[in-house]
Amino acid sequence: MKLRTKYILFVVTLHLLALVLTYFIFSDNKIFFIASELVVIISAIIAWQLYRQLIQPLKLLMQGVDAIKDKDFNVKLISTGKHEVDELIEVYNRMMDELRKERTMQEQQHFFLEKLIYTSPTGIMILDYDNRIQQVNPKALQLLSVSEESLKGYSIYELEHPLIQQIRNLQSGETVVARVDGISSFKLQKSHFVDRGFSRHFIMIEDLTAEILAAEKKVYGKVIRMMAHEVNNTIGPVNSIMQSAMHTDRLWEGHDFDTLKDALQVAMDRNQNLNHFMRNFADLVKLPQANKQPIVLQKIINSVATLMSARARENNVVFEIELPADEIRIQADEQQLEQAFINIVKNAVEAIEEGGGSVKFTVIPTQRLLVITDTGKGISASEHANLFSPFFSTKKDGQGIGLTLVREILINHGFEFSLKTVADRQTEFRIHYS
């Protein structure tokens, strides 16, 4: 029962009781009866005044309570002229002012946070209580190369993206560097915050590819230069001594040292091979910036196919070339790009085992995409992560610089690329040219 109803019932009952009591003195003393009636009437008037002074301000306060329920902090109450009630109204009005300021500040902070997340150079994904992706910023979509519709609302345990698969295993506060395609490296960090008393997680994704490649190149460049310096300083004098010994007739007069001569010649040949081996590494370090000029893509593809045709026939490999009739002109360093294509085709041919196969060149102009597909044995998961790493090779006698050189050339050109086995006997090297 409401306070107003209780008050009215109490006043009505009290005055009815007073009227009944005054009735008993009506026959004995009419003057007292009239006086009692006047007292009852005056009491009723005072009760009504008190009702207006107490209940009406409470109605105002209830309106204020309704405004708080509706989160409308702009409602303020007007003073009634009653001291006690006005003090309460003043407290309420101050409270509303503080709530309005706090709400404004929170909205500004929320807007700032949303803007910060949206424009952040770091990819950010915010999960709900069930580890479903609730919010994702544009940078994260760019790094993951997916659309927002393919992420929002899905649990990280439902998605098959290689980066998200690694995110699943992260604990809150843990950081890991992931390499998904042998080229791109990402820093993944998982953290949490408390929302309405419950913990929620968010993931930050940072692209470290450029930094890691630069640091990697600096390290292996220093190693190669040091090795080349030591090898050249050793091979030059040794070869000079052996050549002098082999061509000094007095040293061999009266002796039959053909076996020793042959051994010296073998040693010189090995030294030359070692020198050539080091030059290959030195060329990787000394790779100049791409001198981009307008070139025809079909011309360079046909040139590489012609150059590698003899090697392909030895492995019983057939070239299939699907090129558009219209010339496709790109900005590139012809010599460097040709060398990159040669290395790609050479690897493709050598990946095809005995029995033969095919290497297919496909150009898709609408996507500005070149795909070189081979029917070789494919790339295992363990090999895939290290494909473009310096000194890594899947071949028995490989030096591990072929794909590293390809990587450097394509990065210098600003071309996006990938190498992966997409199906049985179908490995694709995809290059997005500009």
Side-chain angles (χ1 to χ4, degrees):
M1 188 180 294
K2 292 182 180 181
L3 179 62
R4 179 180 60 182
T5 305
K6 291 179 179 179
Y7 178 79
I8 293 174
L9 285 175
F10 172 76
V11 170
V12 170
T13 303
L14 183 63
H15 286 79
L16 286 176
L17 182 60
L19 288 173
V20 171
L21 292 175
T22 57
Y23 173 76
F24 288 106
I25 64 172
F26 174 75
S27 58
D28 297 333
N29 195 329
K30 293 183 174 55
I31 296 176
F32 281 132
F33 171 74
I34 295 171
S36 299
E37 289 297 316
L38 289 175
V39 170
V40 171
I41 293 171
I42 293 172
S43 175
I45 294 172
I46 293 173
W48 174 251
Q49 292 296 327
L50 289 174
Y51 170 82
R52 293 188 59 187
Q53 293 176 14
L54 294 175
I55 301 301
Q56 293 298 334
L58 288 177
K59 284 185 177 180
L60 294 176
L61 292 178
M62 289 305 298
Q63 292 176 4
V65 171
D66 292 337
I68 293 176
K69 289 180 180 178
D70 296 335
K71 297 181 180 181
D72 183 2
F73 303 138
N74 294 313
V75 174
K76 297 182 72 174
L77 302 181
I78 302 174
S79 299
T80 62
K82 303 300 184 288
H83 177 71
E84 294 80 1
V85 177
D86 286 349
E87 283 189 348
L88 184 59
I89 289 175
E90 183 181 355
V91 171
Y92 171 84
N93 288 339
R94 284 204 305 267
M95 180 185 68
M96 295 298 280
D97 289 337
E98 292 299 322
L99 287 173
R100 185 168 60 254
K101 290 178 182 178
E102 187 69 22
R103 181 178 184 179
T104 303
M105 185 178 298
Q106 287 185 352
E107 288 179 347
Q108 291 174 346
Q109 291 176 346
H110 180 74
F111 175 78
F112 173 73
L113 183 60
E114 289 287 333
K115 191 72 174 178
L116 186 63
I117 292 173
Y118 187 83
T119 60
S120 173
T122 300
I124 299 175
M125 292 193 303
I126 301 176
L127 310 182
D128 63 13
Y129 304 110
D130 297 320
N131 286 318
R132 295 184 178 275
I133 299 174
Q134 186 181 60
Q135 186 176 358
V136 55
N137 72 343
K139 186 63 178 180
L141 297 175
Q142 177 187 344
L143 295 177
L144 296 173
S145 300
V146 295
S147 64
E148 186 174 3
E149 292 75 16
S150 63
L151 288 182
K152 287 189 68 173
Y154 290 93
S155 169
I156 59 174
Y157 297 99
E158 297 175 344
L159 300 171
E160 298 300 326
H161 193 282
L163 274 182
I164 295 181
Q165 288 179 350
Q166 298 201 38
I167 288 171
R168 296 174 189 170
N169 302 322
L170 286 178
Q171 300 298 321
S172 182
E174 189 177 357
T175 301
V176 68
V177 176
R179 177 173 282 185
V180 294
D181 56 6
I183 308 167
S184 303
S185 299
F186 300 93
K187 178 181 177 182
L188 307 177
Q189 183 174 353
K190 190 174 185 180
S191 299
H192 72 278
F193 62 98
V194 177
D195 180 14
R196 284 168 282 186
F198 295 93
S199 179
R200 289 178 55 187
H201 291 95
F202 66 95
I203 295 97
M204 293 185 291
I205 308 172
E206 187 176 354
D207 189 357
L208 300 180
T209 304
E211 291 85 346
I212 289 180
L213 290 180
E216 191 178 77
K217 186 174 181 179
K218 183 177 180 180
V219 171
Y220 73 67
K222 185 176 181 179
V223 172
I224 289 172
R225 282 191 292 268
M226 180 182 67
M227 291 170 58
H229 177 74
E230 294 299 327
V231 169
N232 290 335
N233 285 350
T234 301
I235 288 178
V238 170
N239 277 353
S240 179
I241 292 171
M242 288 191 295
Q243 285 179 348
S244 297
M246 289 183 65
H247 293 90
T248 302
D249 295 335
R250 288 179 300 173
L251 185 64
W252 307 100
E253 286 179 358
H255 301 281
D256 186 12
F257 288 157
D258 289 342
T259 302
L260 182 56
K261 284 184 176 181
D262 290 342
L264 288 174
Q265 185 62 50
V266 170
M268 289 181 61
D269 291 341
R270 292 302 302 162
N271 279 348
Q272 292 298 332
N273 288 339
L274 179 58
N275 197 29
H276 177 69
F277 176 83
M278 288 309 306
R279 278 202 305 270
N280 286 338
F281 282 111
D283 290 342
L284 175 62
V285 177
K286 297 176 182 177
L287 184 68
Q289 288 295 321
N291 180 24
K292 296 183 181 181
Q293 301 291 334
I295 64 172
V296 179
L297 182 60
Q298 290 97 323
K299 176 183 175 183
I300 196 170
I301 292 174
N302 288 323
S303 175
V304 170
T306 301
L307 184 64
M308 298 298 296
S309 59
R311 184 68 175 270
R313 283 194 296 270
E314 291 176 3
N315 287 41
N316 196 23
V317 174
V318 177
F319 286 155
E320 300 176 9
I321 302 177
E322 294 183 4
L323 304 178
D326 297 334
E327 288 187 351
I328 299 175
R329 293 189 173 272
I330 62 174
Q331 292 286 332
D333 186 313
E334 185 170 1
Q335 291 183 346
Q336 288 190 18
L337 197 59
E338 185 179 56
Q339 184 61 56
F341 287 177
I342 288 172
N343 286 4
I344 294 169
V345 174
K346 178 174 176 290
N347 285 344
V349 170
E350 292 176 351
I352 297 174
E353 300 168 338
E354 294 182 5
S358 65
V359 175
K360 184 177 181 180
F361 301 83
T362 306
V363 174
I364 307 175
T366 55
Q367 301 180 25
R368 302 192 69 79
L369 175 65
L370 166 63
V371 184
I372 301 175
T373 308
D374 69 71
T375 58
K377 60 182 180 180
I379 302 167
S380 67
S382 59
E383 295 170 346
H384 187 263
N386 298 302
L387 279 177
F388 295 90
S389 299
F391 315 123
F392 174 81
S393 177
T394 58
K395 304 170 190 174
K396 182 179 179 180
D397 300 321
Q399 300 175 8
I401 63 172
L403 284 180
T404 305
L405 182 62
V406 171
R407 182 192 76 181
E408 294 299 321
I409 290 174
L410 295 181
I411 288 176
N412 283 351
H413 281 74
F415 294 169
E416 294 182 4
F417 58 96
S418 64
L419 173 59
K420 64 177 68 175
T421 298
V422 296
D424 184 39
R425 300 292 173 180
Q426 184 180 350
T427 300
E428 295 182 347
F429 200 117
R430 303 169 70 90
I431 302 172
H432 289 271
Y433 55 86
S434 57

